[in-house]
C-alpha cells in the first residue's frame, strides 16, 4: 500500500511542476470571471432615451395606449429617472406602409447630423393587434 501512495505522490508532484499546470491554474479563474462579468455588463442596457416613432394604423385607439405604456417606462426605478423612450405617435390610418417607409429612411442617423432622426419605428395596425405581432424597424440588430 505504501508503494501505491509513493507512486501517486510522485505522479502528482510531476504534474504540478509543469508550466501548463501553473498557467492554467492562474488563467482559468480569470477566464471564468471574464465569462461571468462581460454578459452582465452587456445586459445592463443603454443609459439614454431612445427616440421611437409609433406609426398608428389602428382604428380603436390601441396606438394611443401603446404610446402611454411606452412613455411610462423609465431607465431606472429611482425617482426622477429619465424616460426610456421618447415616443412620437403618427396617425396613419389607410397609409401605414408609406408613412412607415418614410420614417424608416430616417433611422440610424446621429441626432447631431439629423435632428429629426429616429432610433426605431414601431408599427401598430389592427392586424398586428389581432395577431399579437407588431413591426419594429430599428437602427441596429440589438434594438
Amino acid at each position: 500500500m505504501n508503494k501505491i501512495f509513493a507512486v501517486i505522490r510522485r505522479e502528482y508532484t510531476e504534474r504540478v511542476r509543469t508550466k501548463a499546470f501553473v498557467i492554467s491554474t492562474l488563467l482559468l479563474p480569470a477566464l471564468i470571471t471574464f465569462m461571468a462579468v462581460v454578459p452582465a455588463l452587456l445586459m445592463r442596457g443603454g443609459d439614454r432615451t431612445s427616440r421611437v416613432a409609433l406609426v398608428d394604423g389602428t382604428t380603436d385607439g390601441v396606438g394611443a395606449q401603446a404610446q402611454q405604456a411606452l412613455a411610462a417606462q423609465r431607465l431606472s426605478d429611482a425617482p426622477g429617472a429619465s424616460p426610456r423612450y421618447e415616443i412620437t405617435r403618427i396617425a396613419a390610418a389607410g397609409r401605414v406602409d408609406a408613412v412607415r417607409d418614410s420614417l424608416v429612411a430616417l433611422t440610424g442617423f446621429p441626432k447631431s447630423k439629423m435632428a429629426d432622426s429616429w432610433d426605431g419605428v414601431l408599427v401598430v395596425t389592427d392586424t398586428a393587434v389581432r395577431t399579437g405581432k407588431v413591426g419594429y424597424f430599428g437602427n441596429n440588430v440589438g434594438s
Side-chain angles (χ1 to χ4, degrees), residues 27-104:
L27 289 181
L28 190 61
L31 182 64
I32 290 172
T33 303
F34 177 78
M35 296 300 283
V37 170
V38 169
L41 291 175
L42 292 175
M43 293 300 291
R44 282 193 323 180
D47 59 348
R48 68 177 186 87
T49 301
S50 297
R51 296 187 70 230
V52 177
L54 185 128
V55 179
D56 185 7
T58 62
T59 56
D60 56 359
V62 173
Q65 293 173 355
Q67 178 185 16
Q68 292 172 354
L70 290 172
Q73 298 290 318
R74 300 286 174 213
L75 288 172
S76 69
D77 293 334
S82 298
R84 182 173 299 276
Y85 304 107
E86 180 184 323
I87 304 294
T88 303
R89 188 170 136 256
I90 300 162
R95 53 187 179 94
V96 172
D97 292 338
V99 173
R100 178 200 62 211
D101 292 342
S102 66
L103 293 173
V104 168

Side-chain angles (χ1 to χ4, degrees), residues 1-2 9 26 29 63 69 82 93 97-98 101:
M1 194 70 166
N2 271 345
R9 189 177 78 223
L26 296 175
S82 298
D97 292 338
D101 292 342

